[in-house]
Amino acid sequence: MTNRRVFLGGMAAAGLAVGAGLPAFAQDAKKLRFSAVFSEQDIRAEMMKKLAASVADFAQLDLYYGGNLFKQTTEIIAIQRGNLEIGNVAPQDIATQIKEFSILTSAYLFRDVDHLNAFFNSEAGAEMVAMAQEKLGIHILGPTYFGTRQLGLRIDKEIKTPEDMAGVKLRMPGGDAWQFLGASLGANPTPMAYAEVYTGLQTGAIDGQDNPLPNVQNMKFYEVMKQIVMTSHLVGYDLLVISSKVWNDFTEEQRTAFQTAANEAMAWSAEQHLAREAELVSFFKEQGLAINTPDIEAFRSHAQKMYLESDASQDWPEGMLQRINSL
């Protein structure tokens, strides 16, 4: 696989925690609960196990997957209330509380994972990280790339431009940023919990969903889909965050060790996702799905025009778009 820059900068079973094996000298380690909506079969679950093993001498990570501890969109509030220490949260969830973050949720913003990582390693990225710490009490460890988002549809309608998406009920997570993303693709965005998407596709409650290819395989959405439209409309990433209180309670040595371990785990996960994406197009074709490439420039132009003309862009930090584009 082609070498890629990875993020190395500054930056269970259902209902049960997956316990990381702890050495005897870690008996006094801080217990930290981690919550994520992804399943234990997800590459990012292995990422978290790697992180847990690396910091086991001073932190015990109790890992909860599948939204079994906290549902999607509720992790930040749980951290703020002291009910959770670490979460894998969508930037869209941060944008519900910090409007300036909506720029980081816009379609066709980041070109690829290298561009994403370059941003979070830049001065502009550091400013956004500091904003989250000041306003939300969370410390962002870095972005957890999980693939580029594509459209997966249960209908066989030919999709070439955003106009072809008119009337298509496209499942999007709840929240204004997610719903606007769906609208920017020309679809009729429909909020639905991640765990309900398979049934929604199966019953026709929704016509499609947008997710990176590894997610489509992990959740077996392809079983109830007819085609994948390769819009590549969003470099998919979440943010690995930790309570600022917990972070500040660490010694400087522990913070350095934790950040280094997180960087290494996130870099490993990104490489695994990139390799998996490259393999999955063939897999989905073998499963009988059509893989279609639309007019990407038509989608990009339509989406960017909607964002720039929307009220949301009025909240974007001045000059931030230009700084991101210049990286």
Side-chain angles (χ1 to χ4, degrees), residues 37-38 44 71-73 90 92-93 146 149-155 165 167-175 177-183 185 187-202 204-212 215-216 219 221 225 233-234 238:
V37 69
F38 54 73
R44 291 167 293 176
K71 301 299 182 185
Q72 190 172 18
T73 76
Q92 288 82 357
D93 296 341
F146 58 91
R149 298 181 84 94
Q150 318 290 356
L151 298 179
L153 306 179
R154 69 182 296 275
I155 57 177
M165 290 292 291
V168 174
K169 294 176 292 184
L170 182 66
R171 176 268 172 182
M172 303 297 294
W178 282 116
Q179 296 298 296
F180 192 87
L181 173 60
L185 300 173
N188 177 19
T190 304
M192 179 178 287
Y194 190 57
E196 299 172 5
V197 173
Y198 186 100
T199 301
L201 289 167
Q202 189 175 46
I206 52 174
D207 299 317
Q209 53 80 37
D210 89 306
N211 267 293
N215 294 37
V216 174
M219 301 300 289
F221 295 153
M225 286 165 37
H233 53 274
L234 193 73
D238 289 325

Side-chain angles (χ1 to χ4, degrees), residues 28-326:
D28 295 330
K30 297 179 186 292
K31 291 189 176 182
L32 307 178
R33 294 160 293 184
F34 168 81
S35 178
V37 69
F38 54 73
S39 71
E40 192 178 355
Q41 287 68 49
D42 195 289
I43 291 169
R44 291 167 293 176
E46 187 63 30
M47 172 191 79
M48 290 307 301
K49 293 173 186 176
K50 288 180 177 294
L51 173 58
S54 296
V55 300
D57 58 336
F58 64 91
Q60 176 184 329
L61 272 61
D62 293 334
L63 308 176
Y64 294 84
Y65 305 118
N68 289 313
L69 185 60
F70 291 101
K71 301 299 182 185
Q72 190 172 18
T73 76
T74 66
E75 299 96 338
I76 293 176
I77 295 173
I79 290 174
Q80 291 171 327
R81 292 177 175 174
N83 297 323
L84 183 68
E85 288 73 45
I86 308 177
N88 184 78
V89 306
Q92 288 82 357
D93 296 341
I94 295 178
T96 62
Q97 296 192 52
I98 303 177
K99 297 301 182 184
E100 292 89 341
F101 254 76
S102 65
I103 189 173
L104 302 184
T105 71
S106 58
Y108 297 103
L109 177 68
F110 295 115
R111 295 183 293 274
D112 51 31
V113 66
D114 289 346
H115 190 201
L116 170 71
N117 289 334
F119 168 73
F120 278 98
N121 281 319
S122 72
E123 182 178 337
E127 290 172 11
M128 300 300 284
V129 168
M131 188 184 302
Q133 180 150 326
E134 177 185 353
K135 296 186 176 183
L136 299 184
I138 58 174
H139 175 76
I140 296 176
L141 293 161
T144 56
Y145 173 78
F146 58 91
T148 300
R149 298 181 84 94
Q150 318 290 356
L151 298 179
L153 306 179
R154 69 182 296 275
I155 57 177
D156 53 15
K157 178 182 180 181
E158 184 179 28
I159 305 294
K160 288 295 183 184
T161 69
E163 287 71 26
D164 297 325
M165 290 292 291
V168 174
K169 294 176 292 184
L170 182 66
R171 176 268 172 182
M172 303 297 294
D176 292 343
W178 282 116
Q179 296 298 296
F180 192 87
L181 173 60
S184 77
L185 300 173
N188 177 19
T190 304
M192 179 178 287
Y194 190 57
E196 299 172 5
V197 173
Y198 186 100
T199 301
L201 289 167
Q202 189 175 46
T203 62
I206 52 174
D207 299 317
Q209 53 80 37
D210 89 306
N211 267 293
L213 300 185
N215 294 37
V216 174
Q217 185 197 38
N218 290 340
M219 301 300 289
K220 300 188 182 298
F221 295 153
Y222 64 89
E223 295 179 346
V224 284
M225 286 165 37
K226 292 184 177 179
Q227 66 169 313
I228 294 174
V229 185
M230 301 292 285
T231 49
S232 300
H233 53 274
L234 193 73
V235 172
Y237 73 98
D238 289 325
L239 294 168
L240 185 60
V241 306
I242 184 169
S243 159
S244 292
K245 181 181 184 303
V246 172
W247 186 252
N248 293 334
D249 283 344
F250 283 150
T251 65
E252 183 175 353
E253 182 181 7
Q254 289 171 336
R255 286 194 292 269
T256 298
F258 202 102
Q259 184 68 67
T260 298
N263 291 344
E264 292 173 353
M266 288 184 289
W268 173 87
S269 177
E271 292 293 346
Q272 294 297 310
H273 277 93
L274 288 165
R276 198 76 189 105
E277 285 181 287
E279 300 166 354
L280 282 174
V281 170
S282 296
F283 170 80
F284 290 132
K285 286 181 178 178
E286 292 170 0
Q287 301 304 309
L289 272 68
I291 308 295
N292 298 315
T293 301
D295 183 342
I296 297 228
E297 186 53 41
F299 272 94
R300 179 184 290 109
S301 298
H302 182 271
Q304 291 183 343
K305 184 174 185 290
M306 280 192 64
Y307 275 98
L308 291 173
E309 292 178 352
S310 72
D311 292 339
S313 65
Q314 303 305 310
D315 296 317
W316 294 357
E318 185 176 356
M320 184 61 71
L321 181 60
Q322 291 73 21
R323 295 169 74 185
I324 293 173
N325 289 338
S326 69

